Amino acid sequence: MKIILRTLFLATLAIAQVGCNGSGKSAVGAGPVAGPARVPAGALPQAAPASHLTPLSAMPGLPAWSATGGNAGHTNHVPAAFDPARFTRRFAWSLPAGASVSQAQLALDKGQAFAVVQEAAGQWTLRALDEATGKESWAAALGKFDLVDPPAADDGKVVLSAQAGIDGDALLFFDQRTGALLDKRVIPSRRAPGHSTADMRMAPVIADGGIYVNDRAAGKLLAKFDAATHELLWESEWTGAPNHAFAPAVDQGRVYVAFSDGGLLGMDAKTGAKVVDHHRQFTDSPMDGMVADGLAYALSPNGLVATGIAQGSFKWQGPVLLEMAAPPGPVLYGVTGNAVLALDRATGKTLWSMPRPGPVSVSHSILATRNLLFVSGEPQGGAGTVAIDIATRKVVWSCPEGGRLSLSPNGVLYITPLGGEITAVNLE
């Protein structure tokens, strides 16, 4: 299993454009809780007229896009191949005026897309979109939290991590079908004064019967809850340097956390006991990282850093990347402000690079399939999202919309900006 711990073009290129509209195919917890307030039907954003609401069916081997980066490893990888000639715009989903999607990230499961939305007035809602019809099926009001992370989806539930100051940090559990609030659990260490909202930027991580959330305050780092009972199982101790830690990745009985200084911490998933502790200090700037095939990769401001997780030993330092994708095999893919790169996983050397198509963007996203790299950003104009054929390194499809990328088990690509309109594209 590949694992990522995470933090999105040239006009002279000859682009074979199909386009979005192209043709072709102890628990510390609460007792019983009341259901969430319902958002008035008139306030629900509805899909723009859909051009290709074709019947949907789950693609074999395609998992739910359950969390940031798609899974507990945040790999930004989908194990399927797609034909760009078949791509068509499915629908557009307009958010309420002035609203924004938390970290521009969705969770996709069982034919629904889930988004945490901050309304213009500051209220937060959890919204569910029916992928078959392009219409919103329900919305649950969350209240005036300071911050709500993107959603995670698993076992018929949507799980949210929310912060509301010293007394309100919590995990919230909702029913995927109805939006009913199932449970609310306090995240204990976040109750301490002075903890930073910068530590909350990714969805909770659900893996192997556990839910893992960043817990950094009062000498703690990470909390694990039981995915079935929602009980708090453990909190990890942390006495390291005060630099930002990001949501963990889970693999083979261990939980890994990357730090903004290029460091790595590994813990036993059952107990929370520390098993790996390595830091290579650069600068305390919030960046992301990755763990795969026995190596940890941290997106430090001075370059991609690889560390062996067995002994915590430095391996190599590579180029500065803004985002990564890790399909199975010896190659990592990354995006910079002006280029798309393929890197040798063993050495960090650049195998090839190409100019990033399209305009300068303020955000960056990359998603790898078996044959294509999707690269996107929120553009200043032109092609916001492109598909690059990995074998030929040519742009084979483009779409004017840009944003963070996610891909559903039904083969629908979502392009999510922070605000405005979410675009859904049929890849099958």
Side-chain angles (χ1 to χ4, degrees):
M1 174 182 177
K2 316 300 180 190
I3 299 188
I4 296 181
L5 307 168
R6 209 216 65 89
T7 44
L8 218 175
F9 288 108
L10 293 170
T12 54
L13 283 177
I15 300 177
Q17 290 188 335
V18 177
C20 286
N21 288 303
S23 61
K25 240 189 138 158
S26 180
V28 178
V33 291
R38 295 294 169 174
V39 177
L44 299 182
Q46 296 299 314
S51 56
H52 290 85
L53 283 176
T54 52
L56 295 172
S57 59
M59 297 182 61
L62 224 62
W65 190 275
S66 59
T68 302
N71 48 50
H74 320 301
T75 58
N76 292 309
H77 166 65
V78 171
F82 299 96
D83 179 2
R86 297 171 60 89
F87 296 179
T88 56
R89 179 189 180 104
R90 184 170 184 83
F91 58 79
W93 180 35
S94 295
L95 295 168
S100 61
V101 177
S102 178
Q103 299 299 318
Q105 296 175 26
L106 306 179
L108 311 172
D109 193 16
K110 295 180 172 60
Q112 294 196 98
F114 304 100
V116 169
V117 177
Q118 186 175 31
E119 314 295 333
Q123 295 278 354
W124 293 87
T125 58
L126 173 62
R127 297 179 178 270
L129 172 68
D130 186 329
E131 191 167 78
T133 66
K135 296 182 178 180
E136 195 166 292
S137 51
W138 55 260
L142 303 177
K144 289 190 175 181
F145 287 102
D146 293 341
L147 187 67
V148 183
D149 289 334
D154 180 70
D155 193 29
K157 302 173 187 175
V158 183
V159 185
L160 309 178
S161 172
Q163 176 179 297
I166 191 170
D167 292 320
D169 300 348
L171 273 184
L172 305 174
F173 298 83
F174 293 84
D175 186 284
Q176 287 188 7
R177 296 175 297 104
T178 66
L181 180 63
L182 301 175
D183 201 357
K184 178 179 179 180
R185 297 280 168 156
V186 171
I187 303 174
S189 290
R190 284 194 189 160
R191 297 171 66 96
H195 61 279
S196 172
T197 58
D199 290 333
M200 300 176 62
R201 60 184 60 215
M202 296 171 68
V205 176
I206 307 174
D208 301 331
I211 301 173
Y212 302 86
V213 292
N214 190 298
D215 188 29
R216 218 186 90 201
K220 307 293 183 181
L221 175 68
L222 195 72
K224 178 183 180 180
F225 291 79
D226 188 285
T229 67
H230 311 161
E231 294 183 0
L232 178 67
L233 299 178
W234 52 255
E235 292 180 276
S236 67
E237 300 292 336
W238 175 241
T239 57
N243 47 62
H244 298 303
F246 297 92
V250 183
D251 183 54
Q252 298 183 6
R254 286 186 175 184
V255 186
Y256 298 98
V257 179
F259 294 88
S260 59
D261 68 352
L264 173 76
L265 184 68
M267 292 158 285
D268 183 276
K270 289 184 178 180
T271 66
K274 182 169 60 180
V275 291
V276 176
D277 188 357
H278 173 71
H279 283 266
R280 181 176 174 86
Q281 185 67 43
F282 290 104
T283 181
D284 188 20
S285 174
M287 301 293 283
D288 308 323
M290 158 186 177
V291 180
D293 293 340
L295 290 179
Y297 305 89
L299 291 177
S300 127
N302 289 343
L304 177 63
V305 177
T307 302
I309 61 176
Q311 294 82 28
S313 57
F314 170 77
K315 295 297 183 182
W316 52 257
Q317 183 172 339
V320 175
L321 299 178
L322 300 172
E323 183 86 11
M324 289 188 297
V331 182
L332 304 172
Y333 297 99
V335 60
T336 71
N338 57 15
V340 179
L341 289 78
L343 304 178
D344 187 304
R345 195 187 296 270
T347 66
K349 296 185 181 300
T350 300
L351 300 174
W352 57 259
S353 67
M354 61 177 287
R356 176 174 174 169
V360 174
S361 66
V362 297
S363 62
H364 311 272
S365 185
I366 185 169
L367 190 158
T369 73
R370 287 175 179 164
N371 64 320
L372 300 173
L373 292 178
F374 290 92
V375 178
S376 186
E378 292 197 56
Q380 307 300 320
T385 303
V386 300
I388 300 168
D389 186 288
I390 293 175
T392 66
R393 303 177 213 169
K394 295 185 181 298
V395 175
V396 293
W397 175 84
S398 71
C399 179
E401 289 83 8
R404 185 150 293 280
L405 302 174
S406 52
L407 209 162
S408 82
N410 293 322
V412 178
L413 176 73
Y414 287 84
I415 304 169
T416 306
L418 285 171
E421 189 173 82
I422 298 171
T423 300
V425 181
N426 293 318
L427 301 189
E428 278 293 298

